[in-house]
Amino acid sequence: MTPSRTTRWAILGLVGLIFAVPIAAMTEFTLRRGLEGGHDLSRWITLFTGQLDGGYRQVWVGLGNSVVLAIVTVLLVLVLLVPTMLLIRLRFPRLMPVLEFVCLLPITIPAIVLVIGLATVYGVVARMLGSGVWTLALAYGVLVLPFAFRAVQANLQAVDVQTLTEAARSLGASWPTVVVRVLLPNLRRGMLAASFIAVAVVLGEFTIASLLNRTNLQTALVVVSKNDPFTAVIFALLALLFAFLLLLVIGRVGSGRRPGRTS
Amino acid sequence: MLGLVPFSAYVVLFLALPTALAVGSGFLDAEGAPTLANLSALGDPVVLNTFGNSMLLSAVTAVVGAVVGALVCYALLGSRSDGRLRSTVDAISGVLAQFGGVMLAFAFTATIGVQGIVTVLLADVWGVDIFAEGVWLYDLPGLFLPYIYFQVPLMVITFLPALEALKPQWAEANATLGGTRATFWLRIGFPVLAPSFLGSLLLLFANAFSSYATAAVLASQGSQIVPLQIRAALTSETVLGRENLAGVLALGMILVMAAVMALYSVLQSRASRWQR
């Protein structure tokens, strides 16, 4: 039932080649020299030697905002979602399907629909919490729920929470000790994967930021691309590379391979 | 139960409330009084046409994405699940499926835009002008290629785990009983995988139906698909001379998405019979 070596590499090679075309086209685009034609590295050099002028300040602001948003979103996942999942797993296992349904709902409710109501919600949020950049993370936490839930759930199902808890309790551990010193260390992998995927989703988010008139990395790129599409494409390529490396790390974390161990 | 309060409150405030406000706004008139009159917008020819466009775009890209993605999954069959090949393909698929958005609009402008490398090469080398009948990249036809570009990787992510349900023992049993590779796929492989395949196809449809970023950046004006029509309704006072159109469109979108996801969960439960 498995494909032959030739078939495998023929399919992967062909699809890979087709999918490489737009990425290659972006790269070629950034190397173009204005109207006189030809190619050079001047734009990449300008960027990496820090010679970009104030017109690109927006990108750095957007990047800074996106980093803040990514951090707050990860905190939301770790502080709100993970403890709730643990509590339900330990005390109210019957509610797990309900939690799963709620966490997967954002797949059914598109961001473009959420943003209509979020405009009103943020009117109130601004009065209570101010209009700081980080407040947008409250909306992003919802967007990453399906991904984060799946990552933590996969880990939770692989760990025998019941036995671990009973063992710790019978040795005299208090509940906080059980959670902090027994359960959370066992869930490290799921929490790490959930955090990485949250970072990737937040760095790529455009819909909500754009329609709420906030600045993040993606909206800044669109603004810059109106004046200098070339440099905007360089930034997009770098962001793409960063996201790829991030997901490569998730894959390694997820498959549970530790350095130096070959199995 | 007290421990469940923070998360519940958060979900109510940032998921349930915005959704209710979005859909609810479709049931209010200009003065904020309840009305059902706005719902007639869902029968407006322009709105119906937009929903038709969205469905066509989602259906075509879902089918192409599902078939090509399934082929890639087949090619990966038998490779080690913790191997370098698999983790690289997983990471690439994850990036292209979830991170896309704005980047994809840039990528396709650089590829098949007016000055795109493929456009220029085709014109210079073969004398083919892909925009002979006008520039279609920034309109509905231009969305198909970028959408397929993120649908294929999503298929790889969602369908690959299902392929693991194919047990080597079945292939052995098939071979012992004198079956060929063709009988294996026709009698065992396809029937077992069919529910997962259709489920993934629906997920792809839902994904395309709800995407906004790529379309918003490529088609900076106009409202060719429903998400762009919502943008138009949000950024200008009245569209098509109607009040609170965004809310009505949101309701329409949620109805379509709910139907698709309900069907998806039915197929998932059928598929899980083989995944024990």
Side-chain angles (χ1 to χ4, degrees), chain B residues 222-274:
Chain B
S223 27
Q224 296 84 347
I225 55 173
V226 184
L228 295 186
Q229 202 160 44
I230 292 183
R231 169 181 70 180
L234 283 178
T235 45
S236 64
E237 286 297 307
T238 48
V239 173
L240 307 171
R242 291 177 184 277
E243 305 288 345
N244 294 327
L245 183 65
V248 181
L249 293 170
L251 175 67
M253 269 192 106
I254 287 186
L255 288 179
V256 173
M257 293 294 285
V260 170
M261 294 312 285
L263 208 55
Y264 170 75
S265 66
V266 171
L267 285 167
Q268 275 306 96
S269 61
R270 272 194 75 89
S272 65
R273 280 197 297 192
W274 300 104

Side-chain angles (χ1 to χ4, degrees), chain B residues 3 11 26 39 109 124 139 155 170 192 235 243:
Chain B
V11 168
L39 291 186
T109 309
D124 288 356
D139 213 326
M155 183 66 180
W170 296 343
V192 167
T235 45
E243 305 288 345

